[in-house]
Amino acid sequence: MHKRTARASVLAVAAVALTFAVAGCGSDSEGDEAACKEAITEQFKEYQAGDENAGDERPEACEGIDDKTAERLGQEIAEEELKGVEESLDAP
């Protein structure tokens, strides 16, 4: 993977996460962070596959997750993606 492609991937995950974080409001009920993180990751994969609308709406799994937590989850996903990209660049 080229560095330019790697940077684009990381920026894409950040965009998806931040878009849905501001697209919906948290509710009074508690959400499942693990399920929300998995849903955000799935949106990212859809975005990478060419679905430009992925991330336009907050995933149902993120109901009850406040915006600050959703943003943190998105950042975690971006960091994990970046780590994977760096490892693939270091591979022979």
Side-chain angles (χ1 to χ4, degrees):
M1 182 181 290
H2 296 291
K3 288 184 181 182
R4 187 176 343 157
T5 304
R7 279 189 227 113
S9 294
V10 172
L11 290 174
V13 76
V16 168
L18 291 176
T19 298
F20 98 79
V22 297
C25 298
S27 68
D28 293 336
S29 61
E30 287 191 35
D32 180 348
E33 286 188 28
C36 180
K37 187 173 180 177
E38 187 175 319
I40 298 169
T41 301
E42 184 60 34
Q43 281 187 332
F44 172 64
K45 289 177 184 177
E46 291 170 4
Y47 185 85
Q48 279 187 312
D51 182 357
E52 295 180 8
N53 296 319
D56 284 353
E57 295 183 16
R58 183 182 210 103
E60 286 185 33
C62 296
E63 282 297 316
I65 301 290
D66 63 88
D67 292 344
K68 186 174 182 177
T69 301
E71 186 174 333
R72 177 181 52 80
L73 294 173
Q75 288 173 345
E76 288 175 10
I77 294 166
E79 289 171 5
E80 290 166 8
E81 178 68 16
L82 181 58
K83 182 178 179 183
V85 168
E86 288 173 349
E87 288 173 358
S88 69
L89 292 173
D90 291 340

